[in-house]
Amino acid sequence: MKAIHYDAIILGAGAAGLSAAIYLSRAKLKTLLINEGSIGGQMVLTHAVANYPGVHETSGRDISLIMKKQAKEFGADIESNVEITKLDLSGKEKLVEIDDDEIFTSDVVILATGGKPRKLGIPSETKFKGFGISYCATCDGDFYAGKDIVVVGGGNSALEEAVSLTKLVKSITIVHQFDNFQAHEYAIEQAKKNDKISFIMESEITEILGEELVTAVKVQNQKTGKEQLINTDGIFIYIGYIPNTDKFKDVIKLNNRNEILTDENMKTNVDGIFAAGDVREKKFRQITTAVSDGTIAALNAIEYIQTNKK
Amino acid sequence: MLQTNLNHINSEDEFKQIIENNENVMICCGRMGPMCLPVYDAMESLEDKYENVKFYDMDFDTPHAHVIRNHELARKFMGLPFTFYFKNGQAVHATTSIQTKKQVKSNLDEYLT
């Protein structure tokens, strides 16, 4: 199998990866964007983006489609919905194999693989996906009209989606593992003043019960160990994201949350490897910060390629 | 109207004709939401590889989508999209909620070969 060589390969086509592709391809570098999921990454999960500077209001999907179009028009190649079957980042020339049948090499790799929703880690979670477990209120809220549901989590997503679901459901019990919320004050206030919402703090779901559909959950208090049974028709899970770093965790330096460590130029511990977006260690995860990361990574990658070609 | 590159099913008659006149048909019935988009994308990327299968989508909120919404196999479904696999006019498999490309491929190989 003959490898096709690129100046730069970007892994991941969320806001960071797409931004990097735009900058690299516009700089006339031969650029390949490889994505295992759908174009846009977590950005497409956001229905209404109202705080992207210069854009009055749009959806995450629309932003991602425009970014993809820009990257393609500047000359980037895109391989989407593929599986990365081999990855060798250790040498001077980097190698990526996809779907066991195409090999690409490059001088530079930008890791922009983002994150995936964290799961409860309970065996029955997979069984009940689509049968009482949901990760998207706007997608599946209709199915729970007039029903009692549980929302798991204490961040912005959990509280905002819970408030939004109160328009449809009969009642919501928010189960959160800590004694305080991580959400912004406004989201907490909105949830607390809603009569349909009650709270079980410092607790975790230990078991999901039901035959074909979810009928109840067991919730355990983390301090006392005491368990209680809550009858419910559904569970909406918003407990954050985990970084997609499994494929390169042995080569790239990660922190204890498995996020990539970079310097301010988005450089990793490996020469020629940069990281951008939610996959790297940082405090704020927004579309705008991912765009910034992708831009910085691309500009430094351009400099790296030009320096090493001399 | 769904904004995908798949062929859309726009009426109940069209639905009937498609499943009756094609041996293998995959239909994803959903909206333009985050659980549905990855399934449409997976289908688009598999169209060339599975020439024996016809790929379609259907807008979940249109009246004619009742053929999927109220299908016996979807009786307990609580998550979008509803994805159906038809062979010789019969629904042989259906899934609820988001599916990966790997899961879609596996279902195509198992049910529509």
Side-chain angles (χ1 to χ4, degrees):
Chain A
M1 213 185 309
K2 196 173 180 295
I4 301 169
H5 189 79
Y6 281 84
D7 293 314
I9 293 175
I10 302 154
L11 303 184
L18 286 164
S19 302
I22 291 167
Y23 271 80
L24 284 159
S25 53
R26 194 163 187 242
K28 304 291 179 205
L29 292 175
K30 196 178 175 195
T31 304
L32 173 64
L33 183 61
I34 296 175
N35 191 45
E36 287 196 310
S38 297
I39 296 287
Q42 292 173 65
M43 184 164 45
V44 299
L45 298 175
T46 312
H47 283 269
V49 180
N51 56 0
Y52 195 94
V55 180
H56 187 248
E57 184 165 323
T58 186
S59 71
R61 177 172 161 79
D62 284 347
I63 295 177
S64 70
L65 288 176
I66 294 167
M67 283 184 173
K68 179 188 172 186
K69 194 165 178 265
Q70 286 176 297
K72 284 188 98 167
E73 283 175 355
F74 287 131
D77 292 330
I78 298 177
E79 291 281 353
S80 184
N81 251 305
V82 296
E83 188 184 357
I84 296 168
T85 43
K86 191 176 175 188
L87 189 61
D88 185 355
L89 303 177
S90 53
K92 188 168 167 54
E93 188 174 76
K94 322 300 178 191
L95 182 146
V96 186
E97 181 192 74
I98 61 167
D99 291 340
D100 286 320
D101 70 2
E102 283 182 277
I103 295 175
F104 305 101
T105 56
S106 65
D107 302 328
V108 154
V109 167
I110 296 177
L111 303 169
T113 47
K116 57 189 167 201
R118 188 186 299 279
K119 299 199 169 173
L120 292 174
I122 298 169
S124 51
E125 188 175 358
T126 306
K127 174 190 159 188
F128 287 118
K129 189 185 83 175
F131 295 95
I133 288 186
S134 175
Y135 303 90
C136 177
T138 45
C139 306
D140 302 334
D142 300 359
F143 298 110
Y144 298 90
K147 295 178 188 268
D148 300 306
I149 62 160
V150 166
V151 169
V152 189
N156 285 322
S157 296
L159 298 193
E160 285 170 6
E161 297 291 15
V163 169
S164 141
L165 281 163
T166 56
K167 291 170 197 151
L168 295 165
V169 304
K170 190 170 140 200
S171 77
I172 296 177
T173 306
I174 293 180
V175 178
H176 185 41
Q177 67 179 136
F178 302 118
D179 63 357
N180 64 318
F181 292 109
Q182 285 67 56
H184 294 141
E185 202 50 50
Y186 177 77
I188 298 169
E189 193 186 312
Q190 293 297 307
K192 281 187 172 170
K193 74 178 186 189
N194 195 305
D195 292 341
K196 285 188 179 180
I197 299 177
S198 59
F199 303 91
I200 300 179
M201 306 299 283
E202 294 181 271
S203 298
E204 284 185 347
I205 291 180
T206 53
E207 203 176 335
I208 303 163
L209 305 170
E211 290 293 328
E212 284 181 276
L213 297 172
V214 170
T215 54
V217 288
K218 272 187 188 166
V219 176
Q220 184 178 46
N221 185 290
Q222 298 302 290
K223 263 190 178 167
T224 63
K226 197 180 162 192
E227 268 192 342
Q228 59 176 310
L229 191 73
I230 299 171
N231 292 324
T232 185
D233 299 299
I235 309 161
F236 285 77
I237 300 168
Y238 300 99
I239 49 176
Y241 287 83
I242 49 174
N244 290 317
T245 48
D246 278 357
K247 283 194 163 73
F248 41 79
K249 64 183 178 191
D250 297 331
V251 180
I252 305 296
K253 201 170 176 189
L254 309 176
N255 67 11
N256 60 4
R257 293 187 300 277
N258 290 326
E259 299 157 339
I260 299 173
L261 295 166
T262 66
D263 65 12
E264 63 179 358
N265 294 317
M266 308 298 149
K267 288 179 183 171
T268 70
N269 60 307
V270 178
D271 212 28
I273 308 286
F274 300 81
D278 288 1
V279 74
R280 75 181 195 91
E281 180 185 65
K282 60 178 185 175
K283 188 175 176 184
F284 297 112
R285 289 178 162 78
Q286 298 285 306
I287 297 174
T288 48
T289 60
V291 167
S292 168
D293 281 6
T295 306
I296 294 166
L299 293 173
N300 281 294
I302 293 164
E303 194 176 276
Y304 175 90
I305 291 165
Q306 287 168 347
T307 307
N308 283 275
K309 273 189 177 168
K310 280 176 188 168
Chain B
M1 179 75 77
L2 297 171
Q3 295 144 345
T4 74
N5 293 320
L6 294 165
N7 289 313
H8 313 302
I9 297 178
N10 296 309
S11 71
E12 192 171 340
D13 280 348
E14 197 182 346
F15 165 76
K16 281 179 184 164
Q17 279 181 21
I18 286 165
I19 63 164
E20 280 167 14
N21 297 332
N22 294 285
E23 186 187 350
N24 299 307
V25 179
M26 178 180 175
I27 301 170
C28 183
C29 184
R31 297 177 178 138
M32 292 306 289
M35 299 292 122
C36 304
L37 295 173
V39 184
Y40 304 140
D41 283 352
M43 290 168 73
E44 285 175 19
S45 69
L46 290 169
E47 269 190 310
D48 292 342
K49 286 179 187 166
Y50 288 83
E51 290 177 350
N52 61 321
V53 180
K54 300 287 180 194
F55 294 85
Y56 291 90
D57 63 33
M58 195 187 270
D59 188 334
F60 191 82
D61 297 310
T62 53
H64 59 269
H66 79 89
V67 293
I68 296 290
R69 281 197 308 262
N70 301 324
H71 196 285
E72 175 63 15
L73 289 182
R75 200 167 41 92
K76 303 271 183 178
F77 284 5
M78 301 280 275
L80 288 182
F82 293 3
T83 308
F84 272 67
Y85 300 82
F86 290 90
K87 193 166 189 70
N88 299 319
Q90 298 297 314
V92 289
H93 187 60
T95 61
T96 173
S97 193
I98 190 170
Q99 303 286 308
T100 63
K101 185 182 175 185
K102 210 171 181 175
Q103 288 170 316
V104 171
K105 265 178 89 171
S106 166
N107 288 329
L108 288 169
D109 292 339
E110 188 175 348
Y111 298 101
L112 301 186
T113 49

